[in-house]
Amino acid sequence: MTDENDLNVAHVLVLPDRDAAEEAAEELARRYELGAEPEIVREALAGEDDAEDAQWLIVLPEDAGEFEAHELDDFAREWDGWRETP
């Protein structure tokens, strides 16, 4: 039985701005030979409407491949970001 809210997300990287997220997604696809860039999602911070008050997420689904958590932690830090546990 599958939960309809199960998005099959393995990892989420949080980046400080759109430029960093786009560059990181491109590098992630190249470095880990993903075949396609992962999805980038804008996450507005609670109560904020300004585009400046947002975090950008790189979403890696389970079928994107196998990743070591510490490798993704190091990768996200290259762009002043971090890895979230979904």
Side-chain angles (χ1 to χ4, degrees), residues 21 24 28-29 31 39 49 60-62 64 67-68 75-76 85-86:
L28 193 66
R31 190 179 297 182
E39 181 181 6
D49 294 326
L60 293 166
E62 289 178 349
F67 299 96
E68 295 290 331
F75 181 86
T85 304

Side-chain angles (χ1 to χ4, degrees), residues 23-38 75:
E23 289 175 25
E26 183 178 308
E27 177 62 17
L28 193 66
R30 186 194 67 75
R31 190 179 297 182
Y32 293 98
E33 301 176 354
L34 299 181
E37 288 183 23
F75 181 86

Side-chain angles (χ1 to χ4, degrees), residues 27-76:
E27 177 62 17
L28 193 66
R30 186 194 67 75
R31 190 179 297 182
Y32 293 98
E33 301 176 354
L34 299 181
E37 288 183 23
E39 181 181 6
I40 298 173
V41 178
R42 179 183 179 271
E43 179 183 61
L45 300 177
E48 300 294 335
D49 294 326
D50 188 355
E52 296 294 320
D53 296 322
Q55 295 174 328
W56 292 82
L57 311 178
I58 297 176
V59 179
L60 293 166
E62 289 178 349
D63 63 0
E66 295 293 321
F67 299 96
E68 295 290 331
H70 68 86
E71 286 181 308
L72 290 178
D73 289 337
D74 293 344
F75 181 86

Side-chain angles (χ1 to χ4, degrees), residues 7-24:
L7 300 176
N8 296 322
V9 174
H11 300 282
V12 175
L13 304 182
V14 182
L15 288 292
D17 59 55
R18 184 179 188 157
D19 290 339
E22 289 175 348
E23 289 175 25

